[in-house]
Amino acid sequence: MHVLILGGTTEARRLAELLHGTPALTVTNSLAGRVASPRLPPGEVRIGGFGGTEGLTAWLREHRVGLLIDATHPFAGTISFHAARAAAAVHVPLLALRRPGWVPVDGDDWHEAASLEAAAALLPALGERIFLTTGRMGLAAFADLDELWFLVRSVDAPSGPRPARSELLLDRGPFTLEGEREVLRRYGIDVVVTKDSGGAATAPKLTAAREAGLPVVVVRRPPVPEGVREVAEPEQAVGWVRLHL
């Protein structure tokens, strides 16, 4: 059986590791190609988009895919909808492997925003030195905030418009609590901006912000297709695959 994993996440790599070497199973891992040097999972890997729903549908047919697993990033955009439509078109079972979102705890000062633009609109009233951890895409939403200073952290250097008063910090998670405390201290951060990515790899910044009493602007996740079965852990996805085998 041919399994296609739409990946690029920690959970997708873990799933590929768990499935690697399973008898009677071929696993292909698909990465979007947005990171210059991605951490490659075991097994076959393809990099790049499919060309929307029609392209993914054609790929599923051509490569005789028997199971499709959507393990993309919660903010990957429309790929989850493409996966749902393509799976339905070729009658391939679809599973979504989605890490749970973060939940505020006592002491958190969270300000939710529906988009990066909405997050940018909140910042002037919250602080002046911003730790921007939303990745290299979408920085144009903050480019007009000339009165604020930004520490922009991303895996690869961003292109396109970004805040004029900013410093770039190239780094890749997982991050430690001690490291995040040091970043906040060293750069005099008074506001943290993040997407609700979930997971443990980048969560220490939330703890560090809570300890320091800093506000955190949290961009909510985009909608996902309805009616798709979801699991939160790679091990659960393995069980789903084995049921079909």
Side-chain angles (χ1 to χ4, degrees):
M1 181 178 287
H2 188 184
V3 178
L4 174 61
I5 301 175
L6 305 177
T9 60
T10 301
E11 292 79 14
R13 287 192 298 274
R14 177 58 179 159
L15 176 59
E17 292 169 356
L18 292 172
L19 293 177
H20 186 61
T22 301
L25 196 66
T26 298
V27 179
T28 299
N29 300 273
S30 177
L31 308 180
R34 292 184 177 180
V35 177
S37 300
R39 293 171 176 167
L40 298 180
E44 299 180 16
V45 177
R46 70 172 301 280
I47 297 179
F50 290 94
T53 299
E54 292 184 0
L56 179 54
T57 301
W59 203 96
L60 295 177
R61 285 199 179 106
E62 179 183 352
H63 294 84
R64 299 175 180 269
V65 172
L67 296 175
L68 177 60
I69 300 177
D70 174 15
T72 55
H73 191 276
F75 285 83
T78 58
I79 182 61
S80 294
F81 287 91
H82 294 165
R85 296 179 190 126
V90 297
H91 306 290
V92 169
L94 169 64
L95 179 73
L97 173 56
R98 294 195 178 100
R99 69 182 76 150
W102 290 316
V103 177
V105 300
D106 289 343
D108 281 328
D109 181 14
W110 284 15
H111 302 258
E112 290 193 352
S115 64
L116 292 175
E117 291 74 15
L122 294 174
L123 294 180
L126 295 176
E128 298 180 348
R129 297 182 64 82
I130 317 299
F131 186 22
L132 191 56
T133 67
T134 55
R136 67 187 182 92
M137 310 293 288
L139 295 182
F142 305 90
D144 294 334
L145 298 176
D146 295 334
E147 70 278 16
L148 306 182
W149 181 90
F150 291 83
L151 177 65
V152 179
R153 183 166 70 188
S154 64
V155 176
D156 296 319
S159 59
R162 74 183 204 197
R165 300 179 60 212
S166 63
E167 182 172 337
L168 186 60
L169 178 61
L170 297 181
D171 204 355
R172 187 200 301 260
F175 301 103
T176 66
L177 177 56
E178 186 57 39
E180 299 293 62
R181 288 168 175 158
E182 175 60 19
V183 168
L184 299 183
R185 185 199 63 78
R186 183 191 315 159
Y187 293 96
I189 299 299
D190 54 18
V191 184
V192 176
V193 182
T194 182
K195 294 177 178 177
D196 180 16
S197 300
T202 60
K205 64 189 170 190
L206 302 176
T207 303
R210 181 169 62 251
E211 291 177 347
L214 303 184
V216 179
V217 177
V218 180
V219 181
R220 295 194 300 269
R221 295 182 174 191
V224 295
E226 296 182 358
V228 177
R229 180 176 179 181
E230 294 187 23
V231 296
E233 301 293 338
E235 290 77 9
Q236 294 172 297
V238 171
W240 180 80
V241 171
R242 287 176 177 167
L243 283 175
H244 286 83
L245 280 175

